[in-house]
Amino acid sequence: MKLFCAVLLILASISTVCIHSKRYLFYDVFYGEGFNLRRDVYIRVANTVRLLRDPHQIPNFGLHGTDVRELTGDDWILVLPPWGPLPHWFHDRSYEKYTTNTNAFNWSGIQWSMFFDLNSLSLFVPVMDLIDFQRSVLNSQSLHKSSSPLKIDLALQLVRGDFDANVEQYQNINNRKVYFCPNGIRELYRSNDSSLSTNPPMELFEGSSFTSHNGILPMTASAYDCVTGDLEPVHLAPFLIQLIRNSKQPITTLYLGSAQSIIHGHWSEWSPEYWTVRRSITLANHLRDIGDHYRGAYLHSYDVSDRTVPPLIVEHLGPGSGWLRSKWPLSPAVGGPYIAVHWRRGDFVTTSTTTTTTTSTSNRSPDSVSAAQQILDAIKIFNQYEDRHIDTVYLATDTDKQELESLKSLLYPFQVFHFEPSESEWLSYGPGGLALIDQWICAHARYFIGTSSSTFTFRIVEERSIMGFLKNTTLNNLCPNGPIHLYKPNHYNIQSSTCETLTEWSVIYEKQYTISSSSPIKSSLISDELLLNRQITDEL
């Protein structure tokens, strides 16, 4: 195979990447995992692909003695797994309104481009939807003429290693590596008998429905295997590079099953590598537009007055490149004149913990009476810092209709809004798209109150951090038994809460993926609107 070297230009940083060939990485996540955790898994996989493309970014401790000069990066493209159907999508309140149509639509095979801006994602690592891979790559090879399922060269089942039994191994950074599963387990995946084609050892894209409705074709693999160990990008990537280099059969397409087993490890929320990928995950424009329209129509929330004007694109990089700027132009953000609350119910209502002798249950979310009291307490405190008192609450919740009406009545006379999709919006974007609209509206509020340990809340907190909101307007959360937890409770002069709090992480920027923000936008329109807002505030 002919080797050539390409110069990779990432903003102001130039690095040389030697490329053997174009390869494709597929992955999937356990069927039962939620929508917002899957977004977190994407960060872990994307950071793995970053290292597959440029092994020179692998830290020394991840090489385990291998000379980085021996490793060559390939032109890896990340093929994104289709969304749905996810179990919790079928408990949305909108099913009560649109029963007839939604029963005929199972929300399977949804492309990432329905939810996120692929141009933004591709400015970190190249990505494509699975259906686009099948159309543009497999069809070009005339594989669509075959009646048998489309095949990936190698499918790897990922099994997270258990280091609890050997604490010393976990603490010794030199022993933290990826390796093949023990022989007894590995042979279950490597079987080459005639039944492999009809009874494969693992299902690719678990839980997905490949039907004529969504146009995605089912896929299997030519070979299977199993790997385990310390499955974080800095260890997994060099293992995969060596595996491909040592393989007797060419591997152009590689599938990672149970990718939720990959951990952030060294590149967790405290690292710039985490935040680079997280910043690149931007909502699709059509979802942002719906959320922005709702903000203006019902919440009197506008980007200029809220100081949430998004960063401009980088001209030579094109659409989706605004995330590469280090700050939003009018930050710190102020937010619209409403308080957003994420009140998680559903599986947070009762959680069971079973031991060898007892089973105990506990609530991880307050009921409507407790939630209302906590929200009222927060409003009273927040309004001490407002020239014009806030009397509007935006609610994002998965509760049922009865609890929703109860909470609204308990919050009276405050106005309570929650996004109710039209039938066309529901059928077009489904529960996943509507959840993202909810999060977008919450991210623009003057103050946000979340539910601790909920990934839905985590994604809102991250979005607000990127937009430049202050921590005391963001890191507040409801407690199962009250009182509410507010950031810096002593500052707010409220009884300190003992429930789990939201973790404080600051956005950290990688130099090669960041363009320094220019001076604040000098637009006469923006300047005039900001001046008008100050005059209105003074008059009030």
Side-chain angles (χ1 to χ4, degrees):
M1 185 178 296
K2 186 177 180 180
L3 173 68
F4 67 95
C5 293
V7 176
L8 178 64
L9 175 62
I10 305 177
L11 305 181
S13 175
I14 299 178
S15 60
T16 301
V17 180
C18 293
I19 296 175
H20 270 295
S21 63
K22 181 172 290 187
R23 303 185 195 274
Y24 299 88
L25 183 73
F26 304 75
Y27 77 97
D28 198 21
V29 180
F30 172 63
Y31 172 62
E33 298 291 359
F35 183 57
N36 289 289
L37 184 137
R38 289 168 181 264
R39 293 165 63 184
D40 187 74
V41 173
Y42 169 81
I43 297 177
R44 311 171 205 175
V45 177
N47 266 327
T48 302
V49 174
R50 138 200 323 234
L51 299 179
L52 292 174
R53 291 178 59 83
D54 184 8
H56 292 83
Q57 295 189 46
I58 300 174
N60 288 334
F61 61 79
L63 295 171
H64 303 291
T66 302
D67 188 344
V68 71
R69 292 173 295 182
E70 298 178 5
L71 303 179
T72 55
D74 289 340
D75 186 14
W76 284 91
I77 297 174
L78 179 56
V79 182
L80 303 169
W83 293 96
L86 302 181
H88 59 284
W89 281 0
F90 296 96
H91 300 286
D92 194 286
R93 289 189 310 277
S94 294
Y95 273 94
E96 301 175 9
K97 297 176 63 175
Y98 309 125
T99 302
T100 302
N101 287 325
T102 52
N103 280 347
F105 192 71
N106 66 358
W107 309 114
S108 67
I110 300 175
Q111 301 177 44
W112 274 65
S113 56
M114 177 67 76
F115 297 149
F116 302 102
D117 186 343
L118 297 197
N119 289 327
S120 295
L121 299 180
S122 291
L123 285 170
F124 179 67
V125 295
V127 301
M128 65 190 308
D129 274 312
L130 177 62
I131 192 170
D132 292 329
F133 170 84
Q134 293 186 346
R135 288 171 178 169
S136 64
V137 178
L138 297 183
N139 286 356
S140 67
Q141 299 174 5
S142 300
L143 294 180
H144 64 291
K145 297 179 181 179
S146 173
S147 59
S148 60
L150 303 175
K151 286 193 174 183
I152 290 173
D153 294 328
L154 175 63
L156 294 177
Q157 178 66 32
L158 303 182
V159 180
R160 187 176 299 178
D162 181 8
F163 291 92
D164 292 338
N166 192 339
V167 177
E168 182 179 354
Q169 180 184 12
Y170 184 78
Q171 291 178 338
N172 186 346
I173 199 170
N174 294 321
N175 289 334
R176 297 177 65 176
K177 59 179 67 176
V178 177
Y179 44 88
F180 289 109
C181 294
N183 287 335
I185 299 176
R186 190 181 181 195
E187 290 307 314
L188 296 176
Y189 290 91
R190 302 186 72 199
S191 173
N192 291 318
D193 60 32
S194 58
S195 66
L196 187 62
S197 59
T198 56
N199 297 296
M202 57 187 288
E203 177 187 356
L204 273 57
F205 305 106
E206 179 187 12
S208 297
S209 299
F210 301 127
T211 66
S212 58
H213 172 78
N214 55 48
I216 301 176
L217 302 174
M219 303 184 75
T220 61
S222 298
Y224 299 84
D225 213 324
C226 173
V227 298
T228 186
D230 194 14
L231 299 174
E232 62 171 298
V234 297
H235 297 299
L236 179 58
F239 174 87
L240 296 177
I241 292 173
Q242 296 282 20
L243 183 153
I244 292 172
R245 186 170 68 174
N246 297 333
S247 175
K248 296 179 180 179
Q249 300 296 327
I251 299 175
T252 302
T253 51
L254 178 65
Y255 173 92
L256 302 180
S258 297
Q260 75 280 355
S261 298
I262 302 173
I263 61 174
H264 292 296
H266 290 80
W267 288 357
S268 294
E269 292 90 338
W270 54 75
S271 71
E273 290 82 5
Y274 174 93
W275 283 104
T276 295
V277 188
R278 178 59 184 87
R279 287 162 51 216
S280 73
I281 306 175
T282 60
L283 267 61
N285 287 333
H286 51 266
L287 298 182
R288 295 168 68 147
D289 290 344
I290 293 173
D292 289 342
H293 174 76
Y294 186 94
R295 288 168 49 215
Y298 297 98
L299 303 171
H300 308 292
S301 172
Y302 308 94
D303 281 339
V304 173
S305 56
D306 298 354
R307 303 188 72 88
T308 55
V309 175
L312 298 174
I313 66 170
V314 181
E315 187 173 350
H316 67 281
L317 295 176
S321 58
W323 69 268
L324 291 163
R325 298 191 183 276
S326 60
K327 290 183 179 180
W328 284 43
L330 298 180
S331 63
V334 174
Y338 61 98
I339 294 170
V341 179
H342 171 226
W343 182 35
R344 174 75 174 268
R345 296 298 279 163
D347 58 339
F348 271 41
V349 173
T350 302
T351 301
S352 297
T353 303
T354 302
T355 65
T356 55
T357 57
T358 62
T359 298
S360 60
T361 60
S362 61
N363 290 334
R364 298 164 64 192
S365 171
D367 60 22
S368 59
V369 175
S370 178
Q373 186 59 58
Q374 293 182 55
I375 294 169
L376 290 172
D377 289 342
I379 293 175
K380 182 178 180 180
I381 292 170
F382 292 153
N383 276 334
Q384 295 177 13
Y385 302 91
E386 295 294 320
D387 295 329
R388 182 180 182 182
H389 282 190
I390 296 175
D391 62 0
T392 302
V393 174
Y394 179 80
L395 185 63
T397 182
D398 59 349
T399 191
D400 58 38
K401 185 176 181 180
Q402 182 178 353
E403 269 202 326
L404 176 61
E405 293 304 319
S406 172
L407 181 67
K408 291 169 68 174
S409 65
L410 291 167
L411 290 176
Y412 182 83
F414 291 98
Q415 300 181 83
V416 179
F417 292 89
H418 52 93
F419 183 76
E420 291 287 353
S422 65
E423 184 173 7
S424 62
E425 289 170 337
W426 171 252
L427 294 176
S428 296
Y429 308 119
L434 301 182
L436 293 172
I437 294 171
D438 251 348
Q439 290 176 322
W440 185 248
I441 297 172
C442 286
H444 285 76
R446 185 73 49 83
Y447 299 95
F448 172 67
I449 301 171
T451 300
S452 61
S453 73
S454 166
T455 53
F456 189 101
T457 283
F458 295 166
R459 301 292 86 84
I460 296 171
V461 169
E462 290 173 343
E463 203 70 47
R464 290 175 64 88
S465 298
I466 293 169
M467 294 166 68
F469 278 92
L470 300 178
K471 292 181 174 62
N472 64 318
T473 69
T474 300
L475 298 175
N476 311 295
N477 58 276
L478 301 170
C479 293
N481 302 308
I484 191 168
H485 177 273
L486 299 180
Y487 184 76
K488 295 183 179 178
N490 293 332
H491 172 71
Y492 282 130
N493 192 28
I494 189 173
Q495 179 184 354
S496 180
S497 174
T498 58
C499 76
E500 183 179 357
T501 61
L502 299 176
T503 305
E504 179 179 341
W505 299 112
S506 297
V507 181
I508 307 174
Y509 298 90
E510 278 189 277
K511 182 178 180 180
Q512 65 267 39
Y513 292 99
T514 304
I515 293 179
S516 298
S517 295
S518 56
S519 57
I521 295 177
K522 295 181 179 179
S523 163
S524 59
L525 175 62
I526 291 179
S527 299
D528 291 345
E529 288 199 33
L530 289 174
L531 177 60
L532 177 61
N533 288 330
R534 285 196 294 269
Q535 291 173 344
I536 292 175
T537 300
D538 292 341
E539 291 176 3
L540 293 172

